[in-house]
Every structure is written in structure tokens, then in C-alpha cells.
Amino acid sequence: MLLKDLSGFASPLSDNQANQLKQAASELSPQQLAWVSGYFYGISQNHAVASVPETQVAVGTPSQLTIIFASQTGNAKGVAKQLHAKVVAEGFEAKLYDAADYKLKNLKNETHLIVVASTNGEGEVPDNAIEFYDYLNSKKAPKLDKLQYAVVGLGDSSYEFFCQTGKDFDAALSKLGATPFLERIDCDVDYESPVANWQSQALSTIGELFKESNVEASNGVVQLPLSNSASEYTKQSPYTATLLTNQKITGRDSTKDVRHIEIDLEESGITYQPGDALGVWYKNDAQLVDSIIAAVGLDKDESIEVDGKPTSLQQALIEQFEVTSSNPQFITQYAEKSASKKLLKLVEDKNKLREYAAKTQIIDVIAEKKAKLTATELTAMLRRLTPRLYSISSAQSEVDEEVHLTVGVVEYETSKGQRIGGASGFLSNGLEEGEEVKVFIEHNNNFKLPTDDNASVIMIGPGTGIAPFRSFLQERDSREAEGKNWLVFGDRTFAQDFLYQVEFQRYLKDGLLSQLDVAFSRDGANKVYVQDKLKQNAQQVWQWLQDGAYLYVCGDAERMAKDVQATLLEIAQQQGGLDVESAEEWLKDLRKQKRYQRDVY
């Protein structure tokens, strides 16, 4: 039987049950579907599922919950899916939508709405939610005085516009007359615990709101999970993979250390697509951890409790807390504990505080002025360890049961010694080939090749931003795509920093690459960057885009991505004859059409 037949005449399932099954099945691999099939067959043979009526919505009370996620890298999507599964498990009617798939005309009919929104870069709306966001803030938006809503904001407090997208959605809904049934929550990068607490509160509130409009679900029903199945590897349940290759791909005299990493996914059943990211759970350097513990006067063997389980302080800091990158919250709390005049002065200026946090590690903050802390005080000030997401630099059609990464090692010298990044240091120096690493796939539907193989693509990726475009080219080669491919790559020097040079030159020779432009900023008297190459080829860029090309940007968000965007607007004005406002609208339309996609960090 096919999925489309589930709701047919002969199906014993209700439409609601069929729809739930379709949604769950669409997220499973063939291997997982086979496992689920056997699982349900076993249940049926043991009569484990009670034959009970489907949960009904009371006549005359059309209340239902709609959950919409605005997600760039997948975090908001994961929170929304988890919440949806819990709501359905409680027996309430709920629908889950990607913001890009939500029909805007239906908004006026909603009674209860939850928006889970991440903030992209410096306060930007995720690509999948641009149209929804614009609609809420336009004159077309309806009055929503009958709507009750809640907003979950995800962000990074290291940025100036922390959780700005969530705040904007909250303000827009309120302005249209909607009433919050829960206050907005703004969550930092270690959002799991506050989100879990908020979800518990939300479920209780939803139960009160809907108790009169829903018949209580029978305890005999076995709920079908709508999110992660038992055999699916996720952020919460990663796959234990093996490191195959760790190869430095910058030259001996390069000022950068970039590694080509290959990881074995054999027999995991994990699948990914070009544009997806690999989440890596890393371990902190033991020597760094010991230095931090000693600096605050503690014993590394002291027993503490984390998530209700006893562990040593050293082990907790190695595996469960962020001890490399600093952040404004830690600095603020440590300033109060240490009474450091320098840190207290920084706290008064938010901009200077963010700048200091961005270039300072935890150990260096502590070194400003020592403060004796208890183990509980120290861990309470630290963020929980979160996995690092790396753009995948391979296509599965090319490498089969492997996944490749292009990792720039974060390292620099200070007056107090060498500093190295947590995840990049783990992958480059803390992990030997053959050793284990816990990973998962983070699907990114906002950074995908066009489904039309005849469409042309322009790829702009300086430095390690080249990673997803290596996967794009491998995939286009495997699919024998007819569309043209134009790559713009930049770095410091040709001789030392031309990543994957041999591969790209072969693609150029074979015709897969229609055009390859490179910008090496330190090779000439004048610095040349990727945006300069776009300016030099302005007419061609404009013509490709007029002919339907897709344009992709990957890499540094703070400078490169902004400079590229400014250049595109300049090209639109010069080559297309558009004024400033029209050029900005043109670029926004490209994003809505998914013909201008960015993976920036």
C-alpha cells in the first residue's frame, strides 16, 4: 500500500491518523521504515494497541493549536517538532508548519498560535520566514483580536540583537490585537533546559485552554512519535562514528591551519544532502580544564552533581560545560565575584563587553583577577556544552558512508600562552584517527541546490566557506546536471591557501565548472576579495541572475557576507538601473524565491 492510499475507502485509519502516519513516515529512511514496520507488526500480534475511538474535538469549539517555526540551521525546527509531539501526545489537536509552507490567508482563522523563531546573524529573520515576517508587518495583515499566542525566541547573547526575530514576532502579533497566553521566552545557545521548562508550562496552559474543547484521550492509545524515532540519530542521541582522516590542507608557511576531516558513518543508515551540516559533540582539552580549576582554587577530583548524576569536577568541565569561548553573561557574573575594576567597567558598555567576549577565552577572563569560587558557583556561571555545526563538504553520492568537513583551526597566541578553539582543537589535535566522535546531521532546507538540474548556480565561498560548494559540485557532477556552475573562492595566498585546488582545477578542465574566479588578498600590492571579483564581472553576474541563476554565499557573516550583499545591491543599481529601494526589494525577492541563499556564521 502507498502512503497516498492510507486515507482511502479501505483504510481502517481515520484521516487524522493517516495524516499523522504520513508525516512521521516522511521523515524516516528506508531502513527506519522497515524497522517501524516490524515493530508495529509485533504490536499487532500481541494485541498491545487498544481499539479506542479517535480523540474528538467538541462540536462548536473549533480551537486548535498551530505551531510555526522560523529556523535557519534547524534549532527552532527541533524545538517546534518536540513541542508538537508533546502536545499531540497529550491528546490535543495541533498542526506544525515550516513558516515557508504556512498559508498566510489562514492566519485570520487561528485561535491559538505558537511561534518558535531563531535569529540569524545580526538580528536577521531566517530565510524560511521572510514572507511570513513581512506579511505580519504589512498593511495586508488582518486584525487578530481573537488570537492567543506565545513566542519562543532562540539566539546568541554574544550578538547585539539577541533573539531579535522572536521579539519582532511578539511585537507584530501584539500590534495586530493578539493576546499572549504565555510571556515570550528568549533563550541563549544553551537553550535546552529553559525550553524544557517553558514547554512544561505551555502544556499545562494549553491543557487549561483546551480542556473544554477536547475529549480526554484514552490511556489505551499508543501515540505514534512525530519527531525522532528510536533509531534516528539526533542532537540528543548522536551516532558514535570513527575519525578516518585528519589532513592539513594549507601550506607549511600558511598563517592558517585548515584540516580536511573524513568521518566514517558505516552501517549507521545516516543520510544527508549537500547544504546540510554535521553536528559534532566535542570534548574540552583536559590541560585547559585543569588550568581553570586551579585558577579558581578548586580540586579537580571534587564530586559534583550534573543533571542529577554525580561526576568529578574535571570530567564535568571536559564533557558538559563550555570552557573555551567566553560570553557576556560569564564576564558579567565573574566581574561581580572577582570585583575586577577592568571587568566591571566593561560590563557598563555592552558593545565593548561583546567585543571583549568575542576575542577572549574563559581562562583569560579569570586571569584578569582571581576569585575563589565553589564548584557549584563555577559551573553555574558556565554555559552548557553545545555541539558545533560544520557545513558538510562532501556529497553522499560521491563518498557513500562517509562525511567530510573542512575545519579551520581556531588558534592564536596571547601573552599568557597559546589559545585554541574547543571543537576545532578537538578535531585537529584532540582526536586520533580511528578514535570515536559523536555526530548527527542537521538538515538545512535553507541552503539547497535547485531541484532543476538545468538551473545555473553562482557559489561564493572564501576560506572554509568553500565547504558546502565542494559538496554542491560533487552532487552536480554525480547528477550530470546541465546547468552552469560558477565558483568564486578567496583566501590569503595562492601558494599556501588554495583549498582543494587540484579538485577545482580538474572540474574546470572537465567542464563541470563553467567559471572559476579566485581572490588572494595577500598576493598583490592591493588586497582583492571575493566581492571585488563580483564587481569585475558585474555584467555577467547580473545576466546570470536575470537568466534564473541561483546565488549562494557561505562564510563570515560579519564582514564578507555583508560586503557581498552590498556589492549585489550595487550591481542591481548599475546593471539593472534600479534605485536603492528597488534594488533592496529585488534582492529580497531573490531570497523569497530561494535564489539567494546564505550559510553564514
Side-chain angles (χ1 to χ4, degrees):
M1 178 184 289
L2 300 176
L3 282 175
K4 65 183 179 65
D5 299 322
L6 279 173
S7 55
F9 179 77
S11 172
L13 302 178
S14 69
D15 288 345
N16 185 49
Q17 290 171 326
N19 289 333
Q20 290 184 20
L21 186 57
K22 288 177 188 177
Q23 182 174 347
S26 68
E27 299 174 0
L28 303 180
S29 68
Q31 181 184 9
Q32 292 167 339
L33 285 169
W35 184 91
V36 170
S37 176
Y39 172 72
F40 280 130
Y41 177 77
I43 289 178
S44 70
Q45 296 305 298
N46 289 298
H47 306 287
V49 181
S51 178
V52 295
E54 179 193 357
T55 298
Q56 298 291 323
V57 178
V59 178
T61 52
S63 297
Q64 73 166 24
L65 178 67
T66 295
I67 303 171
I68 299 176
F69 59 85
S71 185
Q72 189 70 25
T73 61
N75 287 336
K77 177 182 178 181
V79 170
K81 287 177 65 178
Q82 185 184 58
L83 176 61
H84 177 252
K86 288 181 178 180
V87 171
V88 172
E90 290 292 320
F92 300 112
E93 190 79 13
K95 292 184 178 180
L96 176 66
Y97 292 97
D98 182 314
D101 298 329
Y102 181 74
K103 292 183 179 179
L104 300 176
K105 65 179 182 180
N106 291 341
L107 185 60
K108 63 180 181 294
N109 299 321
E110 301 289 359
T111 61
H112 297 83
L113 173 69
I114 293 178
V115 177
V116 184
S118 64
T119 296
N120 184 30
E122 291 289 353
E124 296 179 21
V125 180
D127 288 348
N128 76 315
I130 294 172
E131 195 167 359
F132 182 47
Y133 179 90
D134 287 348
Y135 178 72
L136 281 178
N137 290 281
S138 71
K139 293 180 180 179
K140 295 181 180 179
K143 287 292 182 182
L144 300 175
D145 50 339
K146 296 181 180 179
L147 175 69
Q148 296 186 59
Y149 74 95
V151 174
V152 178
L154 303 183
D156 183 342
S157 60
S158 299
Y159 289 92
E160 180 179 358
F161 300 102
F162 174 56
C163 286
Q164 190 61 49
T165 302
K167 294 174 183 176
D168 288 349
F169 274 121
D170 188 11
L173 290 167
S174 178
K175 187 177 180 180
L176 293 170
T179 305
F181 65 81
L182 278 177
E183 287 189 14
R184 186 190 74 246
I185 179 175
D186 297 329
C187 303
D188 214 333
V189 290
D190 48 351
Y191 59 83
E192 283 85 355
S193 180
V195 162
N197 293 334
W198 186 90
Q199 286 181 343
S200 296
Q201 185 181 359
L203 287 172
S204 176
T205 304
I206 290 166
E208 290 296 316
L209 291 170
F210 286 13
K211 66 181 179 181
E212 295 180 358
S213 60
N214 290 273
V215 177
E216 200 170 308
S218 167
N219 291 330
V221 176
V222 176
Q223 292 289 339
L224 179 66
L226 296 181
S227 52
N228 305 318
S229 70
S231 59
E232 185 180 15
Y233 299 106
T234 65
K235 179 179 180 179
Q236 291 76 23
S237 179
Y239 174 67
T240 303
T242 304
L243 178 69
L244 293 174
T245 302
N246 172 8
Q247 177 185 359
K248 185 179 180 182
I249 56 175
T250 41
R252 180 183 302 174
D253 298 323
S254 174
T255 56
K256 295 182 176 181
D257 182 354
V258 177
R259 303 297 177 98
H260 173 73
I261 303 291
E262 297 181 0
I263 294 173
D264 190 4
L265 302 177
E266 187 177 8
E267 298 182 357
S268 68
I270 290 176
T271 60
Y272 60 87
Q273 296 177 354
D276 288 343
L278 186 76
V280 177
W281 282 101
Y282 64 96
K283 295 180 181 180
N284 289 310
D285 179 68
Q287 187 174 346
L288 173 64
V289 165
D290 289 347
S291 296
I292 291 173
I293 293 173
V296 293
L298 294 171
D299 179 357
K300 67 180 182 180
D301 296 321
E302 180 179 346
S303 180
I304 65 170
E305 196 173 274
V306 180
D307 297 332
K309 298 178 181 178
T311 183
S312 71
L313 177 60
Q314 181 192 51
Q315 202 63 27
L317 296 191
I318 289 175
E319 297 184 354
Q320 296 178 287
F321 290 92
E322 171 66 76
V323 300
T324 49
S325 300
S326 184
N327 61 81
Q329 283 75 18
F330 175 82
I331 297 168
T332 300
Q333 293 177 61
Y334 190 78
E336 295 172 356
K337 292 286 185 182
S338 66
S340 165
K341 292 181 180 179
K342 177 181 177 179
L343 295 179
L344 288 170
K345 188 174 181 180
L346 276 172
V347 170
E348 294 174 359
D349 188 324
K350 291 185 177 180
N351 290 329
K352 288 183 179 179
L353 176 61
R354 277 191 294 271
E355 290 173 8
Y356 176 82
K359 60 183 180 182
T360 310
Q361 292 201 353
I362 295 290
I363 187 69
D364 297 315
V365 176
I366 292 173
E368 296 288 2
K369 185 177 181 181
K370 291 187 177 181
K372 190 170 180 61
L373 304 174
T374 66
T376 301
E377 286 174 333
L378 174 62
T379 54
M381 291 163 62
L382 297 171
R383 286 175 169 175
R384 295 299 292 266
L385 193 70
T386 56
R388 292 293 190 268
L389 296 179
Y390 289 99
S391 299
I392 293 173
S393 57
S394 58
Q396 209 156 18
S397 56
E398 174 78 16
V399 302
D400 198 21
E401 292 186 311
E402 293 180 9
V403 61
H404 297 178
L405 305 177
T406 307
V407 178
V409 182
V410 178
E411 58 180 344
Y412 55 93
E413 291 290 335
T414 72
S415 59
K416 300 178 180 65
Q418 187 187 49
R419 300 291 178 250
I420 190 165
S424 64
F426 174 72
L427 287 171
S428 60
N429 301 312
L431 196 64
E432 298 292 332
E433 292 181 359
E435 291 187 335
E436 295 179 341
V437 55
K438 293 181 178 181
V439 300
F440 61 95
I441 300 297
E442 192 69 76
H443 298 291
N444 186 358
N445 294 326
N446 299 312
F447 203 76
K448 284 287 176 284
L449 280 167
T451 54
D452 180 6
D453 283 345
N454 293 313
S456 298
V457 298
I458 304 171
M459 300 163 283
I460 304 163
T464 55
I466 196 63
F469 303 135
R470 181 175 184 260
S471 74
F472 277 22
L473 288 167
Q474 287 182 357
E475 181 71 9
R476 296 273 275 186
D477 190 28
S478 173
R479 281 158 44 173
E480 299 182 350
E482 295 293 328
K484 295 182 293 183
N485 303 297
W486 181 359
L487 177 64
V488 184
F489 172 74
D491 216 310
R492 293 184 177 178
T493 68
F494 173 88
Q496 303 294 327
D497 305 301
F498 196 164
L499 308 181
Y500 303 113
Q501 176 185 352
V502 174
E503 290 183 28
F504 295 141
Q505 289 180 332
R506 185 180 72 247
Y507 284 148
L508 189 63
K509 181 180 178 181
D510 294 345
L512 177 67
L513 264 176
S514 309
Q515 186 165 333
L516 173 62
D517 283 287
V518 292
F520 294 104
S521 61
R522 306 295 171 87
D523 277 348
N526 298 316
K527 292 184 178 181
V528 180
Y529 300 103
V530 289
Q531 63 267 23
D532 297 313
K533 290 296 178 179
L534 296 179
K535 291 177 183 177
Q536 292 171 15
N537 295 278
Q539 185 177 358
Q540 192 175 358
V541 171
W542 180 253
Q543 191 58 56
W544 275 50
L545 292 172
Q546 291 301 104
D547 292 341
Y550 288 65
L551 188 143
Y552 302 86
V553 181
C554 182
D556 169 56
E558 187 174 347
R559 294 185 180 179
M560 182 278 298
K562 289 181 179 179
D563 290 340
V564 167
Q565 181 153 310
T567 299
L568 292 173
L569 291 170
E570 185 180 320
I571 289 173
Q573 294 171 63
Q574 292 178 349
Q575 300 296 320
L578 304 179
D579 58 29
V580 174
E581 187 176 342
S582 298
E584 291 176 347
E585 195 61 36
W586 165 78
L587 198 58
K588 183 180 286 187
D589 285 341
L590 279 187
R591 287 182 68 182
K592 289 179 180 178
Q593 297 168 36
K594 293 190 177 295
R595 288 180 48 219
Y596 173 38
Q597 299 182 33
R598 306 194 309 167
D599 180 8
V600 297
Y601 37 86

